[in-house]
Amino acid sequence: MTYKYFGAPDGATAARVPISMRPEELGGDELGMNGMFTKIKPETMAAMVLTGIEGIPLHKVPPLELVVLHPDYAVVKLPMTVVDPLRGIGEEAVGAAAFIWSTVPDRGGPRDAFNVYQLLHEWQDFSHRLHEAGHQAYCLVWP
């Protein structure tokens, strides 16, 4: 699976993104907001931010909102409670969250804390860009 995170002003705009271009052709800026490609699932990102930064128990992490379900792709909306907390935290909180996440094994084993730290900084920048544009976070998912 590949995940392309992007910003859009509303669900209707986000739903049109895959129709306007083929997912395999998506690059960096076509979706606006300097979207991000990653192999990290939106559910994982939501859980990491809400649990690792906000201290919310894992079982209380809200589900993602499905915007489009198509045989070839899906678009989901991430709650702003996942994006907003990243804007207000400092280096110490980013480092602590990266360390916590690095100790959680996933299918590939635990991740290196520095790599997680860099990823969180990318997400932090993405969060600022979304906020400045008045956009919400969406994720285009395709195999």
Short mmCIF file of all heavy atoms in Angstrom, two decimals, residues 67-131:
data_model
loop_
_atom_site.label_atom_id
_atom_site.label_comp_id
_atom_site.label_asym_id
_atom_site.label_seq_id
_atom_site.Cartn_x
_atom_site.Cartn_y
_atom_site.Cartn_z
N VAL A 67 -14.02 9.00 2.83
CA VAL A 67 -14.57 9.98 1.91
C VAL A 67 -14.97 9.30 0.60
O VAL A 67 -16.04 9.55 0.07
CB VAL A 67 -13.55 11.12 1.64
CG1 VAL A 67 -14.08 12.12 0.62
CG2 VAL A 67 -13.19 11.83 2.94
N VAL A 68 -14.09 8.44 0.09
CA VAL A 68 -14.34 7.72 -1.16
C VAL A 68 -13.82 6.30 -1.01
O VAL A 68 -12.71 6.10 -0.51
CB VAL A 68 -13.59 8.36 -2.35
CG1 VAL A 68 -13.74 7.53 -3.61
CG2 VAL A 68 -14.07 9.77 -2.60
N LEU A 69 -14.61 5.33 -1.45
CA LEU A 69 -14.15 3.95 -1.54
C LEU A 69 -14.38 3.50 -2.97
O LEU A 69 -15.51 3.43 -3.44
CB LEU A 69 -14.90 3.05 -0.56
CG LEU A 69 -14.46 1.58 -0.57
CD1 LEU A 69 -12.98 1.45 -0.24
CD2 LEU A 69 -15.29 0.79 0.42
N HIS A 70 -13.31 3.25 -3.66
CA HIS A 70 -13.33 2.88 -5.07
C HIS A 70 -12.57 1.56 -5.18
O HIS A 70 -11.71 1.28 -4.34
CB HIS A 70 -12.63 3.99 -5.87
CG HIS A 70 -12.66 3.79 -7.35
ND1 HIS A 70 -11.72 3.03 -7.99
CD2 HIS A 70 -13.49 4.26 -8.29
CE1 HIS A 70 -11.98 3.03 -9.29
NE2 HIS A 70 -13.06 3.78 -9.50
N PRO A 71 -12.85 0.72 -6.17
CA PRO A 71 -12.10 -0.54 -6.28
C PRO A 71 -10.58 -0.35 -6.40
O PRO A 71 -9.83 -1.22 -5.98
CB PRO A 71 -12.65 -1.19 -7.56
CG PRO A 71 -14.01 -0.59 -7.74
CD PRO A 71 -13.93 0.80 -7.16
N ASP A 72 -10.15 0.79 -6.94
CA ASP A 72 -8.72 1.02 -7.14
C ASP A 72 -8.05 1.88 -6.07
O ASP A 72 -6.83 1.94 -6.00
CB ASP A 72 -8.48 1.69 -8.50
CG ASP A 72 -8.92 0.81 -9.65
OD1 ASP A 72 -8.83 -0.43 -9.52
OD2 ASP A 72 -9.39 1.37 -10.66
N TYR A 73 -8.81 2.58 -5.26
CA TYR A 73 -8.23 3.49 -4.27
C TYR A 73 -9.28 3.87 -3.23
O TYR A 73 -10.46 3.56 -3.38
CB TYR A 73 -7.69 4.77 -4.94
CG TYR A 73 -8.76 5.56 -5.66
CD1 TYR A 73 -9.56 6.47 -4.98
CD2 TYR A 73 -8.98 5.38 -7.03
CE1 TYR A 73 -10.56 7.17 -5.63
CE2 TYR A 73 -9.98 6.09 -7.69
CZ TYR A 73 -10.76 6.98 -6.98
OH TYR A 73 -11.75 7.67 -7.61
N ALA A 74 -8.83 4.56 -2.21
CA ALA A 74 -9.73 5.12 -1.20
C ALA A 74 -9.17 6.48 -0.78
O ALA A 74 -7.97 6.72 -0.88
CB ALA A 74 -9.84 4.20 0.01
N VAL A 75 -10.05 7.35 -0.30
CA VAL A 75 -9.64 8.61 0.29
C VAL A 75 -10.24 8.65 1.68
O VAL A 75 -11.44 8.42 1.84
CB VAL A 75 -10.12 9.83 -0.54
CG1 VAL A 75 -9.78 11.14 0.18
CG2 VAL A 75 -9.52 9.82 -1.93
N VAL A 76 -9.40 8.92 2.68
CA VAL A 76 -9.88 9.04 4.05
C VAL A 76 -9.51 10.41 4.59
O VAL A 76 -8.55 11.03 4.15
CB VAL A 76 -9.31 7.94 4.98
CG1 VAL A 76 -9.80 6.57 4.57
CG2 VAL A 76 -7.80 7.98 5.03
N LYS A 77 -10.30 10.88 5.54
CA LYS A 77 -10.04 12.16 6.20
C LYS A 77 -9.49 11.89 7.59
O LYS A 77 -10.05 11.08 8.33
CB LYS A 77 -11.34 12.96 6.30
CG LYS A 77 -11.19 14.27 7.02
CD LYS A 77 -12.54 14.97 7.13
CE LYS A 77 -12.43 16.20 7.99
NZ LYS A 77 -13.76 16.76 8.26
N LEU A 78 -8.41 12.56 7.92
CA LEU A 78 -7.86 12.46 9.26
C LEU A 78 -8.51 13.52 10.13
O LEU A 78 -8.67 14.66 9.68
CB LEU A 78 -6.34 12.69 9.26
CG LEU A 78 -5.50 11.50 8.82
CD1 LEU A 78 -5.50 11.36 7.32
CD2 LEU A 78 -4.10 11.65 9.33
N PRO A 79 -8.88 13.18 11.35
CA PRO A 79 -9.49 14.20 12.22
C PRO A 79 -8.48 15.30 12.52
O PRO A 79 -7.28 15.05 12.60
CB PRO A 79 -9.87 13.44 13.48
CG PRO A 79 -9.31 12.07 13.36
CD PRO A 79 -8.77 11.89 11.98
N MET A 80 -8.96 16.53 12.67
CA MET A 80 -8.05 17.64 12.99
C MET A 80 -7.38 17.41 14.34
O MET A 80 -6.32 17.96 14.60
CB MET A 80 -8.81 18.97 12.96
CG MET A 80 -9.23 19.38 11.55
SD MET A 80 -7.91 19.29 10.31
CE MET A 80 -6.93 20.73 10.74
N THR A 81 -7.97 16.57 15.18
CA THR A 81 -7.33 16.26 16.46
C THR A 81 -6.02 15.52 16.26
O THR A 81 -5.21 15.42 17.17
CB THR A 81 -8.26 15.41 17.36
OG1 THR A 81 -8.69 14.26 16.62
CG2 THR A 81 -9.46 16.20 17.82
N VAL A 82 -5.80 14.99 15.06
CA VAL A 82 -4.54 14.32 14.75
C VAL A 82 -3.53 15.33 14.19
O VAL A 82 -2.34 15.24 14.45
CB VAL A 82 -4.76 13.19 13.72
CG1 VAL A 82 -3.45 12.61 13.24
CG2 VAL A 82 -5.64 12.11 14.32
N VAL A 83 -4.01 16.30 13.45
CA VAL A 83 -3.12 17.25 12.79
C VAL A 83 -2.75 18.42 13.70
O VAL A 83 -1.58 18.81 13.79
CB VAL A 83 -3.77 17.77 11.48
CG1 VAL A 83 -2.86 18.74 10.78
CG2 VAL A 83 -4.11 16.60 10.56
N ASP A 84 -3.73 18.99 14.37
CA ASP A 84 -3.50 20.19 15.17
C ASP A 84 -2.47 20.06 16.29
O ASP A 84 -1.69 20.98 16.50
CB ASP A 84 -4.82 20.72 15.75
CG ASP A 84 -5.69 21.38 14.68
OD1 ASP A 84 -5.16 21.69 13.59
OD2 ASP A 84 -6.89 21.58 14.95
N PRO A 85 -2.43 18.95 17.04
CA PRO A 85 -1.47 18.87 18.14
C PRO A 85 -0.01 19.03 17.70
O PRO A 85 0.82 19.50 18.47
CB PRO A 85 -1.69 17.47 18.73
CG PRO A 85 -3.08 17.13 18.36
CD PRO A 85 -3.32 17.79 17.03
N LEU A 86 0.29 18.69 16.48
CA LEU A 86 1.67 18.78 16.01
C LEU A 86 2.15 20.22 15.88
O LEU A 86 3.34 20.48 15.96
CB LEU A 86 1.80 18.08 14.66
CG LEU A 86 1.67 16.56 14.73
CD1 LEU A 86 1.45 15.98 13.35
CD2 LEU A 86 2.90 15.97 15.38
N ARG A 87 1.23 21.14 15.67
CA ARG A 87 1.64 22.54 15.47
C ARG A 87 2.16 23.16 16.75
O ARG A 87 3.01 24.04 16.69
CB ARG A 87 0.47 23.37 14.93
CG ARG A 87 0.15 23.07 13.51
CD ARG A 87 -0.72 24.13 12.85
NE ARG A 87 -1.53 24.92 13.75
CZ ARG A 87 -2.78 24.63 14.11
NH1 ARG A 87 -3.38 23.56 13.63
NH2 ARG A 87 -3.44 25.41 14.93
N GLY A 88 1.66 22.73 17.88
CA GLY A 88 1.98 23.42 19.12
C GLY A 88 3.09 22.80 19.95
O GLY A 88 3.42 23.33 21.00
N ILE A 89 3.67 21.70 19.50
CA ILE A 89 4.67 21.04 20.35
C ILE A 89 6.08 21.47 19.97
O ILE A 89 6.36 21.85 18.84
CB ILE A 89 4.54 19.51 20.29
CG1 ILE A 89 4.81 18.98 18.88
CG2 ILE A 89 3.20 19.07 20.81
CD1 ILE A 89 4.91 17.47 18.80
N GLY A 90 6.97 21.38 20.96
CA GLY A 90 8.36 21.75 20.76
C GLY A 90 9.24 20.53 20.54
O GLY A 90 8.77 19.39 20.48
N GLU A 91 10.52 20.80 20.45
CA GLU A 91 11.51 19.75 20.18
C GLU A 91 11.47 18.62 21.21
O GLU A 91 11.59 17.45 20.86
CB GLU A 91 12.93 20.35 20.16
CG GLU A 91 13.23 21.13 18.92
CD GLU A 91 13.21 20.26 17.67
OE1 GLU A 91 13.86 19.20 17.66
OE2 GLU A 91 12.53 20.65 16.73
N GLU A 92 11.30 18.98 22.47
CA GLU A 92 11.31 17.97 23.53
C GLU A 92 10.15 16.98 23.35
O GLU A 92 10.32 15.77 23.46
CB GLU A 92 11.22 18.66 24.89
CG GLU A 92 11.48 17.71 26.04
CD GLU A 92 11.55 18.47 27.36
OE1 GLU A 92 12.34 19.42 27.47
OE2 GLU A 92 10.78 18.08 28.27
N ALA A 93 8.96 17.51 23.05
CA ALA A 93 7.79 16.65 22.85
C ALA A 93 7.93 15.79 21.60
O ALA A 93 7.55 14.62 21.58
CB ALA A 93 6.52 17.49 22.78
N VAL A 94 8.50 16.36 20.54
CA VAL A 94 8.73 15.59 19.31
C VAL A 94 9.71 14.45 19.60
O VAL A 94 9.48 13.31 19.21
CB VAL A 94 9.26 16.49 18.16
CG1 VAL A 94 9.69 15.65 16.96
CG2 VAL A 94 8.21 17.49 17.74
N GLY A 95 10.78 14.76 20.31
CA GLY A 95 11.77 13.74 20.65
C GLY A 95 11.18 12.64 21.53
O GLY A 95 11.44 11.45 21.31
N ALA A 96 10.38 13.03 22.51
CA ALA A 96 9.77 12.04 23.41
C ALA A 96 8.80 11.14 22.64
O ALA A 96 8.81 9.92 22.80
CB ALA A 96 9.03 12.75 24.55
N ALA A 97 7.98 11.75 21.77
CA ALA A 97 7.04 10.96 20.97
C ALA A 97 7.78 10.02 20.03
O ALA A 97 7.39 8.87 19.85
CB ALA A 97 6.11 11.88 20.18
N ALA A 98 8.88 10.49 19.44
CA ALA A 98 9.68 9.65 18.54
C ALA A 98 10.25 8.46 19.30
O ALA A 98 10.24 7.33 18.81
CB ALA A 98 10.79 10.47 17.91
N PHE A 99 10.73 8.71 20.51
CA PHE A 99 11.28 7.61 21.31
C PHE A 99 10.20 6.59 21.64
O PHE A 99 10.40 5.38 21.48
CB PHE A 99 11.92 8.13 22.59
CG PHE A 99 12.39 7.02 23.47
CD1 PHE A 99 13.55 6.32 23.17
CD2 PHE A 99 11.65 6.65 24.58
CE1 PHE A 99 13.96 5.26 23.97
CE2 PHE A 99 12.06 5.59 25.38
CZ PHE A 99 13.23 4.90 25.08
N ILE A 100 9.03 7.08 22.07
CA ILE A 100 7.93 6.17 22.41
C ILE A 100 7.56 5.32 21.20
O ILE A 100 7.44 4.10 21.29
CB ILE A 100 6.71 6.96 22.92
CG1 ILE A 100 7.01 7.58 24.29
CG2 ILE A 100 5.47 6.07 22.99
CD1 ILE A 100 6.02 8.63 24.73
N TRP A 101 7.40 5.97 20.05
CA TRP A 101 6.99 5.25 18.85
C TRP A 101 8.06 4.26 18.41
O TRP A 101 7.77 3.18 17.92
CB TRP A 101 6.66 6.21 17.74
CG TRP A 101 5.86 5.60 16.61
CD1 TRP A 101 5.27 4.38 16.61
CD2 TRP A 101 5.59 6.18 15.35
NE1 TRP A 101 4.62 4.17 15.41
CE2 TRP A 101 4.82 5.26 14.62
CE3 TRP A 101 5.92 7.39 14.77
CZ2 TRP A 101 4.37 5.52 13.34
CZ3 TRP A 101 5.47 7.64 13.50
CH2 TRP A 101 4.71 6.71 12.79
N SER A 102 9.33 4.62 18.61
CA SER A 102 10.41 3.73 18.17
C SER A 102 10.44 2.42 18.97
O SER A 102 11.01 1.44 18.51
CB SER A 102 11.76 4.43 18.28
OG SER A 102 12.16 4.54 19.64
N THR A 103 9.82 2.41 20.13
CA THR A 103 9.83 1.19 20.95
C THR A 103 8.66 0.27 20.64
O THR A 103 8.60 -0.85 21.15
CB THR A 103 9.78 1.54 22.45
OG1 THR A 103 8.55 2.19 22.74
CG2 THR A 103 10.95 2.41 22.85
N VAL A 104 7.71 0.74 19.82
CA VAL A 104 6.54 -0.06 19.48
C VAL A 104 6.86 -0.89 18.25
O VAL A 104 7.12 -0.34 17.18
CB VAL A 104 5.32 0.84 19.20
CG1 VAL A 104 4.12 -0.01 18.78
CG2 VAL A 104 4.99 1.67 20.42
N PRO A 105 6.88 -2.21 18.39
CA PRO A 105 7.20 -3.03 17.22
C PRO A 105 6.07 -3.00 16.20
O PRO A 105 4.90 -2.98 16.56
CB PRO A 105 7.39 -4.43 17.80
CG PRO A 105 6.70 -4.42 19.11
CD PRO A 105 6.66 -2.99 19.59
N ASP A 106 6.44 -2.95 14.94
CA ASP A 106 5.45 -3.10 13.88
C ASP A 106 5.90 -4.30 13.05
O ASP A 106 6.80 -5.04 13.45
CB ASP A 106 5.28 -1.82 13.06
CG ASP A 106 6.57 -1.36 12.41
OD1 ASP A 106 7.50 -2.18 12.26
OD2 ASP A 106 6.65 -0.19 12.03
N ARG A 107 5.29 -4.48 11.90
CA ARG A 107 5.63 -5.66 11.11
C ARG A 107 7.11 -5.72 10.76
O ARG A 107 7.67 -6.77 10.61
CB ARG A 107 4.80 -5.71 9.84
CG ARG A 107 3.40 -6.20 10.09
CD ARG A 107 2.67 -6.31 8.80
NE ARG A 107 2.46 -4.97 8.26
CZ ARG A 107 1.44 -4.62 7.53
NH1 ARG A 107 0.53 -5.48 7.22
NH2 ARG A 107 1.31 -3.39 7.08
N GLY A 108 7.73 -4.56 10.62
CA GLY A 108 9.15 -4.53 10.27
C GLY A 108 10.05 -4.47 11.49
O GLY A 108 11.25 -4.26 11.36
N GLY A 109 9.48 -4.62 12.68
CA GLY A 109 10.26 -4.49 13.90
C GLY A 109 10.26 -3.04 14.36
O GLY A 109 9.70 -2.16 13.70
N PRO A 110 10.88 -2.76 15.50
CA PRO A 110 10.91 -1.38 16.00
C PRO A 110 11.62 -0.46 15.00
O PRO A 110 12.52 -0.88 14.29
CB PRO A 110 11.70 -1.47 17.30
CG PRO A 110 11.61 -2.91 17.70
CD PRO A 110 11.51 -3.68 16.41
N ARG A 111 11.20 0.78 14.96
CA ARG A 111 11.81 1.77 14.06
C ARG A 111 12.88 2.55 14.82
O ARG A 111 12.81 2.71 16.02
CB ARG A 111 10.75 2.75 13.56
CG ARG A 111 9.72 2.10 12.68
CD ARG A 111 8.72 3.16 12.23
NE ARG A 111 7.89 2.66 11.18
CZ ARG A 111 8.17 2.75 9.88
NH1 ARG A 111 9.28 3.31 9.48
NH2 ARG A 111 7.35 2.28 8.98
N ASP A 112 13.82 3.07 14.07
CA ASP A 112 14.86 3.90 14.63
C ASP A 112 14.24 5.22 15.10
O ASP A 112 13.50 5.87 14.35
CB ASP A 112 15.92 4.14 13.55
CG ASP A 112 17.01 5.05 14.04
OD1 ASP A 112 17.90 4.55 14.74
OD2 ASP A 112 16.96 6.25 13.73
N ALA A 113 14.55 5.63 16.32
CA ALA A 113 13.95 6.84 16.90
C ALA A 113 14.27 8.08 16.08
O ALA A 113 13.42 8.97 15.93
CB ALA A 113 14.42 7.03 18.34
N PHE A 114 15.47 8.17 15.51
CA PHE A 114 15.81 9.35 14.72
C PHE A 114 14.96 9.43 13.44
O PHE A 114 14.53 10.51 13.05
CB PHE A 114 17.30 9.37 14.37
CG PHE A 114 17.70 10.62 13.64
CD1 PHE A 114 17.73 11.85 14.30
CD2 PHE A 114 18.02 10.59 12.30
CE1 PHE A 114 18.08 13.01 13.64
CE2 PHE A 114 18.37 11.75 11.62
CZ PHE A 114 18.40 12.97 12.29
N ASN A 115 14.71 8.28 12.80
CA ASN A 115 13.84 8.27 11.62
C ASN A 115 12.43 8.72 11.97
O ASN A 115 11.80 9.46 11.22
CB ASN A 115 13.80 6.89 10.98
CG ASN A 115 15.11 6.50 10.33
OD1 ASN A 115 15.94 7.35 10.05
ND2 ASN A 115 15.30 5.22 10.12
N VAL A 116 11.94 8.27 13.11
CA VAL A 116 10.60 8.68 13.56
C VAL A 116 10.60 10.18 13.87
O VAL A 116 9.66 10.90 13.53
CB VAL A 116 10.15 7.86 14.80
CG1 VAL A 116 8.81 8.36 15.32
CG2 VAL A 116 10.09 6.38 14.46
N TYR A 117 11.67 10.65 14.48
CA TYR A 117 11.82 12.07 14.79
C TYR A 117 11.74 12.91 13.51
O TYR A 117 11.03 13.90 13.44
CB TYR A 117 13.15 12.27 15.51
CG TYR A 117 13.52 13.69 15.79
CD1 TYR A 117 12.99 14.37 16.89
CD2 TYR A 117 14.43 14.37 14.99
CE1 TYR A 117 13.34 15.68 17.17
CE2 TYR A 117 14.79 15.68 15.26
CZ TYR A 117 14.24 16.32 16.34
OH TYR A 117 14.59 17.62 16.61
N GLN A 118 12.46 12.48 12.46
CA GLN A 118 12.42 13.19 11.18
C GLN A 118 11.02 13.16 10.58
O GLN A 118 10.53 14.16 10.05
CB GLN A 118 13.43 12.58 10.20
CG GLN A 118 14.86 12.88 10.58
CD GLN A 118 15.85 12.20 9.64
OE1 GLN A 118 15.74 11.01 9.37
NE2 GLN A 118 16.79 12.98 9.13
N LEU A 119 10.37 12.01 10.66
CA LEU A 119 9.00 11.87 10.15
C LEU A 119 8.06 12.82 10.87
O LEU A 119 7.23 13.49 10.25
CB LEU A 119 8.52 10.42 10.32
CG LEU A 119 7.05 10.20 10.00
CD1 LEU A 119 6.82 10.23 8.49
CD2 LEU A 119 6.56 8.91 10.59
N LEU A 120 8.18 12.90 12.19
CA LEU A 120 7.32 13.80 12.95
C LEU A 120 7.55 15.26 12.56
O LEU A 120 6.60 16.04 12.51
CB LEU A 120 7.53 13.61 14.45
CG LEU A 120 6.88 12.35 15.03
CD1 LEU A 120 7.28 12.17 16.48
CD2 LEU A 120 5.37 12.43 14.90
N HIS A 121 8.79 15.61 12.26
CA HIS A 121 9.05 16.98 11.81
C HIS A 121 8.41 17.24 10.44
O HIS A 121 7.87 18.32 10.21
CB HIS A 121 10.55 17.28 11.78
CG HIS A 121 11.04 17.84 13.07
ND1 HIS A 121 10.66 19.08 13.54
CD2 HIS A 121 11.86 17.32 14.01
CE1 HIS A 121 11.23 19.30 14.70
NE2 HIS A 121 11.96 18.24 15.02
N GLU A 122 8.44 16.25 9.56
CA GLU A 122 7.75 16.40 8.27
C GLU A 122 6.25 16.61 8.51
O GLU A 122 5.63 17.47 7.88
CB GLU A 122 7.94 15.15 7.40
CG GLU A 122 9.32 14.99 6.82
CD GLU A 122 9.45 13.70 6.04
OE1 GLU A 122 8.45 13.25 5.44
OE2 GLU A 122 10.55 13.12 6.05
N TRP A 123 5.69 15.82 9.43
CA TRP A 123 4.28 15.95 9.75
C TRP A 123 3.98 17.30 10.39
O TRP A 123 2.94 17.89 10.16
CB TRP A 123 3.83 14.82 10.67
CG TRP A 123 3.34 13.67 9.89
CD1 TRP A 123 4.07 12.64 9.39
CD2 TRP A 123 2.00 13.45 9.45
NE1 TRP A 123 3.26 11.80 8.68
CE2 TRP A 123 1.99 12.27 8.71
CE3 TRP A 123 0.81 14.14 9.62
CZ2 TRP A 123 0.84 11.76 8.13
CZ3 TRP A 123 -0.34 13.64 9.06
CH2 TRP A 123 -0.32 12.46 8.32
N GLN A 124 4.91 17.78 11.19
CA GLN A 124 4.73 19.07 11.84
C GLN A 124 4.69 20.18 10.77
O GLN A 124 3.81 21.04 10.81
CB GLN A 124 5.87 19.31 12.83
CG GLN A 124 5.57 20.35 13.87
CD GLN A 124 6.62 20.38 14.96
OE1 GLN A 124 7.80 20.16 14.71
NE2 GLN A 124 6.19 20.67 16.16
N ASP A 125 5.58 20.12 9.81
CA ASP A 125 5.58 21.09 8.71
C ASP A 125 4.28 20.99 7.91
O ASP A 125 3.68 22.01 7.54
CB ASP A 125 6.78 20.87 7.77
CG ASP A 125 8.10 21.19 8.43
OD1 ASP A 125 8.10 21.88 9.48
OD2 ASP A 125 9.14 20.73 7.91
N PHE A 126 3.86 19.77 7.63
CA PHE A 126 2.62 19.53 6.90
C PHE A 126 1.44 20.13 7.66
O PHE A 126 0.57 20.79 7.09
CB PHE A 126 2.45 18.02 6.71
CG PHE A 126 1.25 17.61 5.90
CD1 PHE A 126 1.06 18.06 4.61
CD2 PHE A 126 0.31 16.74 6.43
CE1 PHE A 126 -0.04 17.66 3.85
CE2 PHE A 126 -0.79 16.33 5.69
CZ PHE A 126 -0.95 16.79 4.41
N SER A 127 1.43 19.95 8.96
CA SER A 127 0.37 20.48 9.82
C SER A 127 0.31 22.00 9.74
O SER A 127 -0.78 22.59 9.64
CB SER A 127 0.64 20.02 11.25
OG SER A 127 -0.06 20.77 12.18
N HIS A 128 1.47 22.65 9.74
CA HIS A 128 1.50 24.11 9.62
C HIS A 128 0.97 24.56 8.26
O HIS A 128 0.22 25.53 8.17
CB HIS A 128 2.93 24.64 9.82
CG HIS A 128 3.35 24.67 11.26
ND1 HIS A 128 2.85 25.56 12.17
CD2 HIS A 128 4.23 23.89 11.94
CE1 HIS A 128 3.39 25.34 13.35
NE2 HIS A 128 4.23 24.32 13.24
N ARG A 129 1.36 23.87 7.19
CA ARG A 129 0.90 24.23 5.84
C ARG A 129 -0.62 24.07 5.73
O ARG A 129 -1.30 24.91 5.14
CB ARG A 129 1.61 23.38 4.78
CG ARG A 129 3.09 23.71 4.66
CD ARG A 129 3.72 23.10 3.42
NE ARG A 129 3.53 21.68 3.26
CZ ARG A 129 4.37 20.74 3.70
NH1 ARG A 129 5.46 21.07 4.37
NH2 ARG A 129 4.12 19.47 3.47
N LEU A 130 -1.14 22.99 6.30
CA LEU A 130 -2.60 22.78 6.28
C LEU A 130 -3.31 23.92 6.99
O LEU A 130 -4.29 24.48 6.49
CB LEU A 130 -2.97 21.46 6.95
CG LEU A 130 -2.65 20.19 6.21
CD1 LEU A 130 -2.93 18.98 7.11
CD2 LEU A 130 -3.46 20.08 4.93
N HIS A 131 -2.82 24.26 8.16
CA HIS A 131 -3.43 25.31 8.97
C HIS A 131 -3.42 26.65 8.24
O HIS A 131 -4.43 27.37 8.20
CB HIS A 131 -2.71 25.42 10.32
CG HIS A 131 -3.29 26.46 11.22
ND1 HIS A 131 -4.51 26.31 11.84
CD2 HIS A 131 -2.82 27.67 11.59
CE1 HIS A 131 -4.76 27.39 12.56
NE2 HIS A 131 -3.75 28.23 12.42
#
